[in-house]
């Protein structure tokens, strides 16, 4: 329970009333969080106030974190922790506000799970206890930076191909692996003995679907995650002419379906629908998102499809992502639009963004775009990806579609690589200011009181602000999870429109539950200049309070 900032709830109510009465006419309180109404303001598209910004941090085959070298380091735990903190440093440098971290890459766990073995990507040995709780560390350190933590799970993949992975050999899995205890739950695809063969849990078996949900929900229940994230691996991607070996499963569990393709899609639909319900039943604020392959269906196969000719996730991996959006079984979708703009009819980025924007329009599902940083500057992907501006051009194009509320970059090592200077370019042109995570008004929230600034003074390291949060989480008011600090030049007129974009947003910080007084140092404040500051409170879902009364620093 948070330390009480001010105990007098009556004073808090009076303060809220006074602030609302004294606010501009356009700043009437919102029903959820009383944040300023800014719909009529002119804003700078280069500095949006709200935009989801993240990078995927992949653990499978040690792509991003932890590094394979860390497994043999004499100070393995310290090295892995330092590596992760370096990724958070990069996220902060780029003004990201979230990380999407893979914590269940192959039916294993990055936490002490009672259901599945420790991941081999921590120690190099399947099932070996690393001697610490990585997931607890990942979440705690992310929140210290006020970064959302989205736990990335792969639902059905059990192994990676040999020689690096277990391949199709159950005996090479950890001794206590559930797949070894229930070999009937699995299949190999492609078949054992074929290059690239690996093991999957069979999505058509009800007990399997229940088990993988239980295993993933263990992390949701026990850790303070902000989101649950699935990637695009459901049924395996086709390999040659090999068929998924599920005839017997279809015969035993068809639920009345006569078409196997429809049945497979329904199996995945059930996974998504049930997982969303389970998350919301225990933690309604936790966002559920999926990052599917970027093409649902082509227009030639379905009039509702996109103007493309590439592979269709609806058909090849049984992922009916359009249905998940229309049924609102997910809170956000991150299509992997890993193609360039123009001259690529199979999958033109400029054709797919409007299709996804239209698909989410009118729903409560938020659209973020998956960006292929891994292709930038790599000759194997052709000349278009030798353009250092390609990724920045993607983000510029996104501005034409208000439904696009952010981007997720694949993956962390590629973002850091900054080939051709592409990361520097899109960061300068699109992420120059901090941004708040887009709010989700359909999820439960209580109104927030504005902070009361109790101190503002210059110091050697900048301007130091301090404040208290009235009636935090008490009575009808919500908990302040974090705060946003805005700075205006002296004499600048401050009304609701001053808070409409991020041009005045100095930064955000996580609430410190251990103290009643919160503080922030504006290290970018210039000596000799007079500033006006306002602070707002943000809840778990980034709903924002009205701004605090102005505090001038001369």
């Amino acid at each position: 329970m948070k330390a009480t900032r001010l105990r007098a709830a009556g004073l808090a109510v009076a303060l809220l009333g006074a602030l609302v009465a004294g606010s501009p006419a356009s700043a009437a309180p919102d029903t959820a969080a009383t944040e300023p109404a800014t719909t009529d303001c002119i804003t700078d598209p280069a500095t949006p106030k709200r935009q989801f910004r993240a990078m995927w941090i992949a653990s499978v085959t040690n792509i991003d974190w932890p590094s394979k070298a860390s497994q043999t380091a004499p100070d393995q735990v310290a090295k892995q922790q330092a590596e992760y903190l370096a990724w958070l440093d990069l996220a902060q440098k780029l003004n990201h506000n979230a990380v999407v971290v893979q914590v269940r890459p192959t039916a294993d766990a990055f936490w002490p799970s009672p259901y599945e073995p420790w991941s081999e990507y921590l120690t190099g040995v399947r099932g070996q206890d690393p001697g610490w709780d990585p997931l607890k560390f990942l979440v705690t350190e992310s929140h210290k930076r006020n970064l959302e933590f989205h736990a990335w799970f792969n639902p059905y993949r059990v192994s990676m191909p040999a020689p690096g992975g277990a391949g199709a050999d159950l005996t090479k899995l950890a001794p206590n692996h559930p797949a070894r205890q229930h070999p009937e739950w699995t299949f190999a695809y492609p078949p054992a003995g074929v290059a690239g063969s690996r093991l999957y849990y069979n999505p058509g078996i009800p007990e399997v679907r229940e088990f993988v949900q239980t295993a993933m929900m263990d992390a949701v229940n026990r850790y303070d995650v902000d989101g649950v994230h699935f990637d695009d691996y459901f049924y395996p991607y086709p390999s040659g002419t090999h068929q998924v070996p599920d005839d017997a499963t279809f015969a035993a569990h068809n639920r009345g379906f006569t078409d196997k393709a429809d049945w497979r899609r329904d199996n995945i639909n059930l996974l998504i629908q049930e997982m969303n319900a389970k998350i919301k039943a225990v933690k309604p604020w936790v966002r559920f998102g999926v990052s599917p392959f970027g093409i649902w269906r082509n227009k030639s196969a379905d009039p509702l499809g996109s103007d493309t000719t590439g592979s269709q996730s609806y058909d090849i991996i049984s992922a009916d992502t359009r249905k998940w959006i229309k049924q609102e079984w997910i809170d956000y979708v991150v299509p992997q639009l890993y193609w360039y703009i123009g001259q690529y009819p199979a999958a033109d980025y400029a054709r797919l963004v409007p299709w996804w924007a239209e698909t989410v329009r009118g729903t409560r599902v938020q659209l973020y775009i998956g960006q292929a940083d891994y292709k930038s500057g790599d000759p194997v992907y052709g000349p278009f990806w030798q353009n250092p501006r390609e990724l920045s051009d993607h983000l510029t194009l996104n501005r034409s579609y208000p439904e696009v509320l952010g981007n997720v970059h694949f993956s962390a090592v590629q973002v850091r690589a900054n080939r051709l200077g592409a990361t520097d370019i899109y960061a300068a042109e699109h992420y120059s200011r901090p941004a708040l995570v887009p709010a989700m008004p359909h999820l439960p929230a209580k109104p927030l009181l504005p902070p009361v600034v109790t101190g503002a003074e210059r110091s050697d390291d900048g301007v130091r602000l301090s404040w208290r949060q009235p009636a935090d989480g008490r009575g009808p008011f919500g908990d302040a999870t974090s705060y946003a600090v805005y700075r205006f030049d002296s004499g600048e007129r401050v009304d609701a429109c001053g808070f409409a974009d991020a041009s005045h947003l100095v930064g955000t910080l996580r609430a410190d539950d251990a103290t009643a007084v919160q503080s922030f140092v504006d290290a970018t404040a210039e000596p000799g200049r007079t500033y006006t500051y306002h602070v707002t409170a943000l809840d778990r879902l980034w709903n924002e309070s009205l701004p605090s009364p102005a505090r001038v620093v001369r």
Side-chain angles (χ1 to χ4, degrees), residues 45-64:
T47 58
K49 177 170 179 172
R50 293 186 179 272
Q51 186 177 56
F52 190 83
R53 301 172 184 168
M55 56 188 171
W56 278 291
I57 301 178
S59 61
V60 67
T61 68
N62 300 101
I63 291 174
D64 296 313

Side-chain angles (χ1 to χ4, degrees), residues 368-384:
Y368 319 140
I369 304 298
Q371 300 292 343
D373 288 52
Y374 72 96
K375 288 187 174 181
S376 181
D378 190 333
V380 74
Y381 296 111
F384 283 90

Side-chain angles (χ1 to χ4, degrees), residues 16 67 70 112 114 169 172 266 274 292 327 345 348 351 392 410 414 450-451 482 487 522:
L16 177 61
S67 71
S70 72
D169 190 346
K172 291 184 178 179
D266 192 61
E274 292 169 359
Q327 295 295 323
D348 181 351
R351 296 181 183 182
S392 188
F410 188 82
Q414 310 298 338
S482 60
R487 185 186 70 202
D522 177 12

Side-chain angles (χ1 to χ4, degrees), residues 425-438:
I425 292 170
Y426 72 67
E429 296 182 354
H430 300 278
Y431 300 161
S432 64
R433 305 294 299 171
L436 309 183
V437 172

